[in-house]
Amino acid sequence: MNDHHESERRQELHGYVIGLVLAVLLSALPFGGVMLGLLSKTTLFWVIGIAALCQVAVHFRFFLHIDLSRSHRDDLQLILFSLLIVALMVGGTLWVLGNQRHMMG
């Protein structure tokens, strides 16, 4: 029984290490793109955006342990709904402020 717990712990640690390495690489990629200045602004924005989305997926999978299995699907739906509400609030605020700026100018 003790070997089973040790094996489970080792497997969990292995997942955290993989997640850490992927997170560092996905953070270093945009920083390297900005620092080296080899990419156009449009390409750089795309690289940053794609790296950010991949970073979210890595954090969900390796650190929050949320995947597409049936037991974690409710957690994923809750997170996605929360993101929708935040996006609506931010988008609505920007829309109102932009409209207000247009009316003032």
Side-chain angles (χ1 to χ4, degrees):
M1 196 65 149
N2 196 12
D3 286 340
H4 177 69
H5 289 300
E6 187 66 32
S7 163
E8 201 172 280
R9 219 174 120 220
R10 199 172 306 130
Q11 185 177 10
E12 186 175 349
L13 181 63
H14 182 68
Y16 283 127
V17 169
I18 290 173
L20 177 65
V21 169
L22 287 173
V24 168
L25 287 174
L26 288 169
S27 295
L29 183 67
F31 277 109
V34 170
M35 294 292 289
L36 295 175
L38 299 174
L39 303 172
S40 69
K41 281 189 177 184
T42 305
T43 306
L44 192 58
F45 284 136
W46 277 104
V47 167
I48 291 170
I50 291 171
L53 290 174
C54 291
Q55 185 86 264
V56 168
V58 165
H59 281 267
F60 276 177
R61 171 65 181 94
F62 291 102
F63 300 122
L64 297 176
H65 304 290
I66 296 175
D67 52 15
L68 297 178
S69 67
R70 184 171 295 282
S71 63
H72 295 134
R73 206 168 288 161
D74 292 338
D75 294 336
L76 182 61
Q77 288 176 349
L78 178 64
I79 289 170
L80 292 176
F81 180 72
S82 299
L83 287 174
L84 175 68
I85 296 299
V86 169
L88 287 172
M89 289 175 55
V90 170
T93 301
L94 291 175
W95 184 14
V96 168
L97 290 175
N99 197 11
Q100 184 180 18
R101 181 175 181 231
H102 177 71
M103 295 290 199
M104 296 288 285

